[in-house]
Amino acid sequence: MKWGLPWPGAPRAGEAEAAGAGAFCAGEFSDLNAYVTSAEMALATTEAIVGPGIAYAFARSPFVHASAVRHLSKLAPGRVFLGLGSGTSRMNRDWFGVQADHPAPRMAELVEAIRAFLEAENGETIRYSGQYYNIEADIRAPVLGRLDVPILIGAFNKVMLRTAGRTADGVLGHGIFTDRWWGEVVDPELAGSAASSGRDAAALQRWGWLITAIDDTDPRRATREARLQIAFYLTVRTYDSLVELHGWHDQVAAIRAAFRSGRPDTIADHVTDDMLWAIAVCGDTAQAREMLKSRTALPDTAFLSPPSFLVGRRRRSDYDAAAVRFAAANLGSYGRQGR
């Protein structure tokens, strides 16, 4: 299994690359732009793959995504990937002010339209015709030329997973993914949709975030903060099918009730050990090693992600440092299991 980090800043990234980190990714929010962060990553690294993981797909046109990727590729030739996420319907409507109905077929067209820009040669009119995107770009400036950039989709539900299998280069899994979700939902949907489209399922990338909180001086706090992050994710109903798969209905109902009560710090109380071990790697180094060994369907490339819900920036930086030390000692020879 290869490993990387959500962008920890240039000094930490240098330590991580030296320790064997193979990739860095950039998320985004109202104060954080995935492409701006990706430029920082490109300039501050030398060997690792870098890119949005994820960028909000529908908030930008195919042209904007593709031009950003081309720009990044000048800064980090051969080291760029693109991770796209649909966002929620409320975010697209109320935050971005864009249409996002039928997100799976819209995402498929977006990937194809971005590829049309990335695969164009100089002097070639870029054409794409679909239900959601129609492109006819006669770009006369000699700035094109084929770029082979992996495009991954941040997919959770079966419909979007099938879209990834049919059109993308792989999937970028959420930090809430368990072995059972990877093995019983993600892998079969990717394989089936790839086969139905005449694609090689074995060539698809399986990347994902992995909640990682290691602290040998205060392992109880690290474990609690991992529980907090899990609970925070499970306040979102998007993940109800994963909850149903595991039979975590009562725990998640309690989490959501606590979250609505105005005491968000108590939501961690309802994350059981079973839930914790199914999702995270946390505690002291010894426990984290056992949790890692217990996993059988980890992603090919795992971004070791520190908890962020009610966790300060300095504390997250400490978790990044611990994750680098842990990965250097435990992931260099760690082989992928289960698939």
Side-chain angles (χ1 to χ4, degrees), residues 4-272:
L5 297 172
W7 184 237
R12 187 77 68 213
E15 299 171 12
E17 268 200 301
F24 296 98
C25 68
E28 64 181 353
F29 199 57
S30 55
D31 62 343
L32 194 67
N33 185 285
Y35 285 117
V36 174
T37 306
S38 293
E40 295 177 11
M41 297 191 297
L43 292 169
T45 57
T46 58
E47 297 181 3
I49 297 170
V50 298
I54 50 82
Y56 290 124
F58 307 138
R60 303 170 175 91
S61 70
F63 173 90
V64 172
H65 284 297
S67 63
V69 168
R70 283 191 176 275
H71 197 156
L72 287 171
S73 294
K74 294 177 184 177
L75 303 177
R79 297 196 291 120
V80 175
F81 74 91
L82 172 58
L84 297 170
S86 62
T88 66
S89 59
R90 180 178 62 85
M91 292 170 67
N92 282 289
R93 182 189 65 240
D94 297 343
W95 295 17
F96 312 147
V98 298
Q99 294 292 320
D101 55 316
H102 307 293
R106 189 182 292 271
M107 180 70 81
E109 286 195 11
L110 178 64
V111 170
E112 292 168 351
I114 293 170
R115 282 217 182 97
F117 278 102
L118 295 181
E119 295 174 357
E121 299 291 352
N122 287 319
E124 175 183 321
T125 299
I126 301 164
R127 292 185 174 90
Y128 182 82
S129 180
Q131 182 177 355
Y132 305 102
Y133 298 98
N134 285 281
I135 308 292
E136 186 163 354
D138 187 8
I139 299 173
R140 298 300 178 93
V143 295
L144 302 179
R146 184 183 180 94
L147 274 180
D148 186 13
V149 173
I151 301 178
L152 290 82
I153 295 176
F156 175 80
N157 65 49
K158 291 183 178 181
V159 177
M160 194 64 81
L161 287 167
R162 292 168 194 156
T163 299
R166 285 192 301 266
T167 64
D169 295 298
V171 66
L172 187 53
H174 195 280
I176 207 74
F177 281 17
T178 64
D179 284 351
R180 288 190 64 188
W181 193 256
W182 279 109
E184 298 180 29
V185 179
V186 178
D187 289 344
E189 293 297 341
L190 290 178
S193 56
S196 69
S197 304
R199 308 180 75 208
D200 180 8
L204 295 176
Q205 302 291 326
R206 294 167 74 261
W207 296 10
W209 288 47
L210 178 62
I211 298 171
T212 307
I214 302 170
D215 186 342
D216 285 328
T217 61
D218 195 349
R220 293 182 62 183
R221 179 176 178 181
T223 298
R224 179 168 181 78
E225 289 177 339
R227 292 183 197 269
L228 267 175
Q229 189 64 49
I230 292 168
F232 179 66
Y233 283 148
L234 290 175
T235 62
V236 180
R237 296 189 182 279
T238 299
Y239 309 119
D240 280 355
S241 51
L242 182 146
V243 172
E244 182 177 351
L245 177 70
H246 286 276
W248 294 338
H249 309 87
D250 292 344
Q251 296 92 325
V252 171
I255 287 168
R256 292 173 181 172
F259 192 67
R260 292 191 300 268
S261 73
R263 287 290 308 279
D265 56 307
T266 66
I267 61 177
D269 298 343
H270 307 289
V271 175
T272 65

